[in-house]
């Protein structure tokens, strides 16, 4: 993994895996409220170019998305389509998505998704057996070419 792209920041806790969330800890140290969700200044990072005209993120790189949030967080609904568009414009970059909200995914896939894009790697978090039993069956039904489980 080369880099991180956080198009939005902040999250709401939804399960046991959120109890010791590093984002909340870091925000608390900075005297910030980790539950406040906002669009970041680096929203267009995958499209940013260097002075010579080449992309900042090079072809073939692996980018972790929303490591200070959840890509399928409800509060991010207004921005998600634009983020999908950015990922579609960079089929040469691999985007790694991780969620604790797989039940929201099917309703928030982009138009023309089909069975998924080759450059999207999708994982669900299963922090215990209860969450594995809940989330893995949903994961198996979702149309992604590359799927995994973060335990």
């Amino acid at each position: 993994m080369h880099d991180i792209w956080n198009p939005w920041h902040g999250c709401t806790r939804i399960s046991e895996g959120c109890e010791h969330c590093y984002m909340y800890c870091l925000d608390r140290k900075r005297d910030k409220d980790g539950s406040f969700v906002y669009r970041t200044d680096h929203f267009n990072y995958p499209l940013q170019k260097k002075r010579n005209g080449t992309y900042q993120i090079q072809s073939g790189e692996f980018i972790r998305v929303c490591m200070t949030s959840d890509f399928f967080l409800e509060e991010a609904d207004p921005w998600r389509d634009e983020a999908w568009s950015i990922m579609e414009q960079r089929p040469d970059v691999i985007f790694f998505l991780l969620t604790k909200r797989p039940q929201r995914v099917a309703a928030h896939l982009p138009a023309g998704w089909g069975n998924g894009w080759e450059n999207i790697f999708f994982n669900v978090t299963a922090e215990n057996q209860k969450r594995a039993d809940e989330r893995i069956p949903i994961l198996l039904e979702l149309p992604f070419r590359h799927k995994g489980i973060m335990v």
Side-chain angles (χ1 to χ4, degrees):
M1 291 187 209
H2 173 267
D3 212 343
I4 294 172
W5 173 40
N6 292 316
W8 44 88
H9 178 90
C11 201
T12 54
R13 297 175 194 234
I14 63 160
S15 68
E16 305 83 0
C18 303
E19 189 174 333
H20 301 289
C21 174
Y22 73 93
M23 184 275 299
Y24 271 87
C25 179
L26 291 174
D27 275 7
R28 195 169 33 255
K29 287 180 181 180
R30 296 177 183 124
D31 201 28
K32 296 186 183 250
D33 178 3
S35 66
F36 176 66
V37 180
Y38 60 92
R39 181 179 163 132
T40 68
D41 292 338
H42 304 288
F43 192 91
N44 294 320
Y45 177 53
L47 300 179
Q48 290 176 358
K49 294 186 177 183
K50 299 176 186 176
R51 289 183 184 192
N52 67 7
T54 62
Y55 283 113
Q56 194 77 17
I57 298 173
Q58 297 178 11
S59 183
E61 290 192 43
F62 197 98
I63 305 299
R64 295 172 288 166
V65 181
C66 284
M67 293 293 102
T68 62
S69 189
D70 188 309
F71 191 76
F72 294 98
L73 184 72
E74 185 175 350
E75 291 85 345
D77 287 353
W79 312 310
R80 191 173 305 97
D81 285 343
E82 189 176 352
W84 281 124
S85 176
I86 289 170
M87 289 185 267
E88 187 176 28
Q89 291 175 63
R90 293 297 312 271
D92 60 317
V93 172
I94 297 168
F95 294 93
F96 176 83
L97 304 177
L98 177 65
T99 190
K100 288 183 177 73
R101 295 166 170 83
Q103 73 281 2
R104 299 196 80 241
V105 174
H108 297 283
L109 293 172
W113 180 256
N115 68 344
W117 299 337
E118 188 62 39
N119 67 325
I120 307 297
F121 284 58
F122 177 73
N123 282 245
V124 296
T125 301
E127 62 266 33
N128 56 36
Q129 191 61 52
K130 175 183 174 184
R131 298 304 175 185
D133 292 343
E134 171 187 296
R135 295 176 184 152
I136 293 172
I138 299 170
L139 168 71
L140 295 174
E141 296 299 319
L142 290 169
F144 287 87
R145 295 182 186 188
H146 309 284
K147 302 178 190 183
I149 304 161
M150 185 71 70
V151 289

